[in-house]
Amino acid sequence: MGSERMEMRKRQMSVQQELVPGTTAPGQNEQPSQGNRGSNACCFCWCCCCSCSCLTVRNEDRDERNRRASYDFKAEGNADLEESLKPTAEEVCLWGQSFDKLMHCPAGRSAFRQFLRTEFSEENMLFWLACEEFSKETNKSVIEEKARIIYEDYISILSPKEVSLDSRVREVINRNMLEPTSHTFDDAQLQIFTLMQRDSYPRFMNSSAYKNLLKTVSEQSVES
């Protein structure tokens, strides 16, 4: 009897020892499953983060395009508005006296801009107008943003609307762009103004466009 009990206890102990690994095995099997869930969760989080990052970039690009379009519309919109202005005979006569008088007259700038368009140099007037608008800005963050836009549109050699500037002025602009102010493009604006005055203005005064306009407004003035 004693030996049977001993034998029975050995078998029980043996079974218990076998059950211990058996009971822990499911837990061990579940850990990889948990690991997989964790891995999936990480992948899911990574995908979400990636998607959010892409969405953020797209939103920033869209905002940048909207800001740029808004500024371009304002700069060129002012010029387009001038095109609808009808000059008087007195104003057209004054244009012939000096380039300054032409440029100080909205209708004069409009007529001159249309002439520049026929010579494929309209960007000179657009740049000058953009600089005029830019020089009135006082908000530092807006100045930095508009300075970059003007640079990309008219100064960069990659721009289809690049204006003709000498190396000295370009160096000045590049230095100024490190900390843009409302005077960043003053030298460039003056140089383009001088270029239009010496080169395009005399041709405009001798063009059929100016002569026909002067004749038309003079006749209308007599009739009225």
Side-chain angles (χ1 to χ4, degrees):
M1 291 291 293
S3 59
E4 291 178 356
R5 289 178 181 173
M6 290 292 297
E7 188 68 23
M8 178 69 69
R9 179 168 295 181
K10 288 181 180 181
R11 286 200 296 270
Q12 289 175 349
M13 292 177 63
S14 176
V15 171
Q16 288 176 355
Q17 289 175 355
E18 291 176 357
L19 287 177
V20 171
T23 55
T24 57
Q28 292 174 349
N29 291 336
E30 290 175 3
Q31 288 178 358
S33 176
Q34 292 174 354
N36 291 338
R37 287 198 299 270
S39 175
N40 291 338
C42 292
C43 291
F44 178 75
C45 293
W46 181 85
C47 292
C48 288
C49 292
C50 182
S51 299
C52 291
S53 298
C54 293
L55 181 60
T56 300
V57 170
R58 287 197 297 270
N59 288 338
E60 289 176 351
D61 289 343
R62 182 190 61 193
D63 293 341
E64 170 64 18
R65 288 195 300 271
N66 289 339
R67 287 194 298 268
R68 190 186 192 90
S70 175
Y71 179 64
D72 289 344
F73 175 79
K74 186 175 183 180
E76 297 190 15
N78 290 339
D80 292 334
L81 178 62
E82 291 179 350
E83 288 192 356
S84 64
L85 300 176
K86 302 299 181 182
T88 65
E90 181 182 1
E91 287 176 330
V92 177
C93 289
L94 288 175
W95 301 347
Q97 295 181 11
S98 72
F99 186 60
D100 283 328
K101 291 182 179 180
L102 182 144
M103 291 295 284
H104 279 88
C105 176
R109 292 193 297 267
S110 171
F112 186 54
R113 180 190 174 194
Q114 293 179 47
F115 172 76
L116 292 177
R117 191 178 298 162
T118 65
E119 293 198 332
F120 305 100
S121 57
E122 183 185 13
E123 67 276 1
N124 289 333
M125 177 63 77
L126 292 177
F127 172 69
W128 188 88
L129 291 170
C131 290
E132 281 291 287
E133 185 71 26
F134 176 75
S135 64
K136 302 173 185 176
E137 188 59 61
T138 57
N139 186 291
K140 188 175 185 299
S141 60
V142 176
I143 286 175
E144 293 176 351
E145 182 180 355
K146 288 185 176 182
R148 180 178 54 81
I149 293 175
I150 291 176
Y151 186 93
E152 292 176 355
D153 283 350
Y154 301 106
I155 309 300
S156 172
I157 61 175
L158 301 177
S159 173
K161 297 188 292 184
E162 178 195 6
V163 295
S164 179
L165 299 170
D166 61 36
S167 59
R168 181 192 66 81
V169 172
R170 286 185 175 275
E171 290 176 2
V172 170
I173 292 176
N174 289 334
R175 289 196 301 268
N176 291 341
M177 286 298 293
L178 298 176
E179 293 185 9
T181 69
S182 58
H183 301 289
T184 293
F185 302 104
D186 283 0
D187 288 349
Q189 185 184 18
L190 177 60
Q191 187 167 102
I192 293 302
F193 181 91
T194 304
L195 175 65
M196 292 189 293
Q197 181 181 29
R198 294 178 178 177
D199 184 54
S200 303
Y201 173 65
R203 289 200 300 274
F204 175 60
M205 289 292 100
N206 293 319
S207 70
S208 58
Y210 175 73
K211 292 177 181 178
N212 291 338
L213 177 60
L214 179 59
K215 180 181 178 180
T216 299
V217 295
S218 297
E219 291 175 350
Q220 292 175 348
S221 177
V222 171
E223 291 175 358
S224 60

